[in-house]
Structure formats: structure tokens, C-alpha cells
Amino acid sequence: DGVVLGADTRATEDTVVADKNCSKIHYLADNMYCCGAGTAADTEMTTQMIASQLELHKLNTGRTPRVTTANRLLKQMLFRYQGHISAALVLGGVDVTGPHLYSIHPHGSTDKLPYVTMGSGSLAAMATFEDRFKPNMEKAEAMKLVRDAIAAGIFNDLGSGSNVDLCVITKDKVEYLRPFDEANIKGKREGNYGFKRGTTAILSTEVKKIPFDIVSTQVVTSRSDSAMDTA
Amino acid sequence: MSIMSYNGAAVMAMKGKECVAIAADRRFGIQAQTISTEFDKIFQMGPRLFVGLPGLATDVQTVAQRLKFRLNLYELKENRRVKPKTFLSMVSNLLYSRRFGPYFVEPVVAGLDPKTSEPFIASLDLIGCPMVTEDFVVSGTCSEQMYGMCETLYKPNQEPDDLFETISQCLLNAVDRDAVSGWGGVVYIIEKDKVTKRLLKGRMD
């Protein structure tokens, strides 16, 4: 009766890791979150666009949006761009009709399935799911399975890494667990590589003071407690 | 010939204790020929907000101008100084609006919150994907060298003077291993009450 979404936290530029702890689980609505793989800017902007459309829809209809609505909005937008928007999404949420999970491909095709994986580490993650998925798992078991699937991607796929983020969506609440599992902690630096002040050769220095904006002025006068003498 | 390395540039920003530092090289060149050694790539967008723009020089200037324009309208409408996080969204939107014909710049944003003075650094890719970090951000033709230097020399919560030394050494040594960046450096240390701009003496080759 819920959905568990998981993601790793590595963002790469070719083979260089640009962000060691980025957030790949995007907010769509209070009851819906979307994991994004592919071009980071595309996943970020697409999910923001559809989140905004869902909010307007919610205000127009007065109802919490359904997951299938978000699915439609996303697939129709992505198909319009014929795959040039490289966003591969895993959409999950709970609405009045129950929990739903969709996978959305960049060209606009969607699949409604009990378990889905996307991204470079999707094969490793899917292998884990195919082995251990059972319908109607308990929450803790499901969370562990998702964590293990992402971990499979983190350790075996070069394009995935760092930590595991989890998002558990149920009818009543959403648990956004970031990080759920810090699988890769940075090593401690053993030496001190600091430089003494004055090491760097400077050609010129220019100091500009920033004037503070006065928000409020309060004048407190000291007044003796005894009243004025009016002799 | 890659468009991003046509002019060559290096920009980085680092967080310190109640301060941020943003640094850039000063070369303006066209492939192998250096035209100017005083080309500024860091633009001031507010009393405590700076943006560094490495990449194609024409887009550096155009994006800076368009950004300043949008920022001015924002500050006139809202009647207050923009927050660095909001500014980051502005840059991101400007760049993504050109998703299929982008500006060839990969900006770096550094500043202090106008109300709380909390340090903020972030960078974006050329199509506007924002990346907020807690330690440092790098961008430019020698980004891999800068990653290496920063990852090694960076320490969290440094005083402004120590942060200056760290970021300067990171920049100077990284650009020395890149043929198309360097020829001088400039470092801005942004603190609550003042901004210090220092020009670095580096290898001019």
C-alpha cells in the first residue's frame, strides 16, 4: 500500500564526478515523487515544469493530483520533444486510487509496473529486483530491497556512486530519507596541506566596504527613575 | 576544436567561515593567441553576490549582461536584494531557455545571503543544471586539474585570510597545467562587511 523510490547521488560529466551528493529524487506533489536519470538539467527542469502544472491542476480541480495525471503530463511533453529531452524517469506516488509506479522513457513511452529501474545502473538494480521481489512486501523489507538494488548499481556501475537516497510514499505520509545509507564515506586526510598566510604573491589589493542597509533605528534615552523636579 | 576551449578560462569558488571566495584567471585568448591579460570573468550582481562565467567569451559577456538586466527588474519589482539561491534559479532558467542552442558558459555563483549572511556557492552546466555544494565548485577548461587541487587543499571553515591562500594556490597550480588558461588571477573574498579583490601574481605563459 505504498511506493518506495530509491536513487544514488552521483552526477557525472563524462567520466569526471561533478557532484558527489546530488539529489535525484524530485518533488512533483505532496503525494508524488519522481526519480530522474539522464541529462541532469532535463530531469530537473521537466520535473519542475510538471510539478508546477500539477499544482495548477490541483487548484483548478480542488483534488490531490493522481499519479496517472503526472504520467500523462510527462509522457506528452517528452514525446513532443521526440527524445531530445533526455529524461528517463521513475514516477511513484499514492493517490485516491492507491499506490502507482511508472517508468517513463525519454521518447515518451511509459510502463506501469510493480518494480522498475532506469539509468546506467538499471541492469544491476533490475538483477536485484528480479531475484528478490515479491508482491505485497512489508515496508522494511521493501526499503531494504530498494537499498540493495541501488547499492548494486553504486558498486558495480561506474556511472552511479556515493550514497543511497530513499523516498517512501504511503497514503498518510512521505518519508524523504536523504541519505538513507552512506555507502561511501570520504577518507580522512592524514596530512596538513594548509598554507601560511602570505604565501601567495599579490599584485594589488582593493577593499570595498559594503554599506549595511538600515532596517530599523531605535533610540533609547537614559532617563533617571526619579520624576522631573518641578520645584 | 571544442567550443568550450576556444577562449579558455578557469573559475572556482570556495566556502569558508562566514565568507566565500571566488577566483578566476584573467586570460582572453583566441585558440593559441592571447589577446588580453585583463579579461574579467567575475561579475558583481549585488553587494555580496558574484557570478563567474567561464566559457566562450562572447557568451560570457552576453550572459552577464542579460543576467544583470533580469536581476535589475527583479530588484525593482521586489524592492529587495536577491537571495543567492534565487539568483541561481534565475541563471538556471536563462540557460535552460536555450536548451537546444545553448550559451556556452558554465557559471559559478558565490555569495552571502543578504539577510542572514550565510555563505552560498553553486555551479551550473551550460544548459542550466544547478549544483549546490558545501565545499567548493570549479568550472572551466582545466576543471579536472582544479578538482584535483581543491579536493586536496580544501579544508572546511577556514578564516578569510586562510581561504584566500587556499583558493589562490588551487587556482594558480591548476591553470599552470592548462595551456589556455592563466595569465594572471583575480580572487574576491566576500565577507559580511567587505569584499576584498586581490590580483594574483602568476606565470604569464
Side-chain angles (χ1 to χ4, degrees):
Chain A
D1 54 353
V3 186
V4 182
L5 297 171
D8 73 311
T9 60
R10 175 181 283 183
T12 60
E13 270 168 11
D14 291 331
T15 51
V16 178
V17 178
D19 197 348
K20 290 182 272 193
N21 196 202
C22 72
S23 173
K24 297 191 191 180
I25 306 184
H26 307 283
Y27 170 89
L28 277 181
D30 288 333
N31 59 327
M32 274 190 258
Y33 279 76
C34 190
C35 306
T39 304
D42 287 336
T43 59
E44 186 76 43
M45 291 304 188
T46 308
T47 49
Q48 280 180 354
M49 178 74 89
I50 266 69
S52 143
Q53 286 180 12
L54 282 172
E55 181 70 26
L56 287 168
H57 187 259
K58 175 171 134 181
L59 291 165
N60 263 322
T61 59
R63 299 180 169 124
T64 38
R66 298 189 186 196
V67 186
T68 184
T69 314
N71 182 48
R72 262 307 150 121
L73 292 168
L74 283 162
K75 72 146 81 178
Q76 283 177 348
M77 176 176 168
L78 291 174
F79 183 73
R80 205 162 13 112
Y81 282 92
Q82 289 291 293
H84 289 290
I85 293 191
S86 180
L89 309 166
V90 168
L91 166 68
V94 180
D95 57 30
V96 285
T97 46
H100 301 279
L101 185 64
Y102 293 89
S103 73
I104 304 163
H105 293 252
H107 283 264
S109 64
T110 62
D111 297 295
K112 188 174 191 311
L113 294 162
Y115 56 96
V116 288
T117 62
M118 297 292 254
S120 59
S122 62
L123 271 69
M126 187 51 96
T128 314
F129 277 160
E130 289 290 9
D131 187 26
R132 286 156 48 187
F133 180 83
K134 296 186 302 285
N136 297 318
M137 274 189 286
E138 289 302 318
K139 182 168 126 174
E141 203 189 337
M143 284 166 74
K144 180 153 195 332
L145 179 58
V146 173
R147 181 252 158 225
D148 288 343
I150 301 292
I154 288 175
F155 292 114
N156 299 105
D157 172 47
L158 305 175
S160 319
S162 298
N163 314 322
V164 183
D165 287 351
L166 229 61
C167 186
V168 186
I169 310 173
T170 44
K171 191 159 67 91
D172 312 308
K173 72 174 194 302
V174 171
E175 283 169 45
Y176 192 83
L177 302 155
R178 176 179 152 79
F180 176 69
D181 180 17
E182 279 199 44
N184 292 288
I185 302 173
K186 189 171 168 171
K188 186 170 142 354
R189 190 181 296 139
E190 296 294 333
N192 176 28
Y193 299 104
F195 291 94
K196 263 209 305 259
R197 292 185 189 190
T199 316
T200 314
I202 302 168
L203 289 175
S204 74
T205 314
E206 193 190 308
V207 178
K208 222 188 295 187
K209 288 233 168 240
I210 303 169
F212 277 103
D213 298 323
I214 299 178
V215 175
S216 69
T217 316
Q218 205 177 37
V219 179
V220 178
T221 53
S222 61
R223 199 171 29 166
S224 59
D225 276 306
S226 55
M228 274 206 296
D229 216 9
T230 51
Chain B
M1 189 208 82
S2 160
I3 319 162
M4 294 302 284
S5 60
Y6 184 71
N7 292 122
V11 176
M12 62 165 71
M14 260 191 205
K15 248 198 215 186
K17 188 171 179 161
E18 292 170 14
C19 62
V20 284
I22 184 167
D25 69 326
R26 300 184 78 206
R27 177 181 181 268
F28 167 52
I30 298 180
Q31 289 184 306
Q33 184 183 28
T34 304
I35 314 286
S36 161
T37 57
E38 284 157 19
F39 187 68
D40 280 319
K41 296 161 193 138
I42 298 179
F43 300 91
Q44 184 159 22
M45 293 284 152
R48 288 183 209 86
L49 182 62
F50 287 76
V51 65
L53 297 160
L56 193 64
T58 171
D59 284 344
V60 164
Q61 296 188 317
T62 306
V63 170
Q65 288 165 4
R66 295 233 163 119
L67 221 39
K68 188 74 184 146
F69 171 74
R70 289 189 185 204
L71 184 64
N72 285 343
L73 277 177
Y74 179 95
E75 295 193 341
L76 283 168
K77 268 192 233 179
E78 303 254 335
N79 205 21
R80 62 183 174 91
R81 292 265 172 237
V82 72
K83 278 199 260 231
K85 201 153 179 281
T86 317
F87 182 69
L88 176 68
S89 289
M90 285 173 74
V91 186
S92 174
N93 271 310
L94 175 63
L95 296 174
Y96 198 77
S97 66
R98 293 267 173 276
R99 168 64 175 86
F100 298 115
Y103 288 116
F104 295 103
V105 288
E106 297 197 324
V108 165
V109 175
L112 300 175
D113 189 291
K115 288 247 166 72
T116 63
S117 293
E118 205 197 307
F120 178 89
I121 52 167
S123 73
L124 307 101
D125 67 0
L126 81 172
I127 43 175
C129 178
M131 181 174 96
V132 181
T133 63
E134 291 304 308
D135 38 21
F136 54 85
V137 284
V138 302
S139 190
T141 44
C142 57
S143 59
E144 298 188 24
Q145 291 91 322
M146 289 192 280
Y147 273 128
M149 290 301 314
C150 289
E151 201 65 71
T152 312
L153 299 182
Y154 177 79
K155 270 200 294 259
N157 284 326
Q158 286 182 307
E159 293 295 322
D161 289 329
D162 297 318
L163 185 68
F164 166 73
E165 296 295 336
T166 307
I167 199 175
S168 306
Q169 291 300 318
C170 284
L171 183 74
L172 287 173
N173 291 299
V175 301
D176 284 349
R177 277 285 186 181
D178 182 23
V180 288
S181 32
W183 275 271
V186 60
V187 181
Y188 290 82
I189 306 286
I190 307 152
E191 292 167 72
K192 248 197 297 210
D193 57 342
K194 62 183 194 289
V195 172
T196 314
K197 173 182 170 179
R198 293 193 184 90
L199 295 178
L200 303 177
K201 180 178 157 132
R203 287 176 66 129
M204 303 298 265
D205 64 353

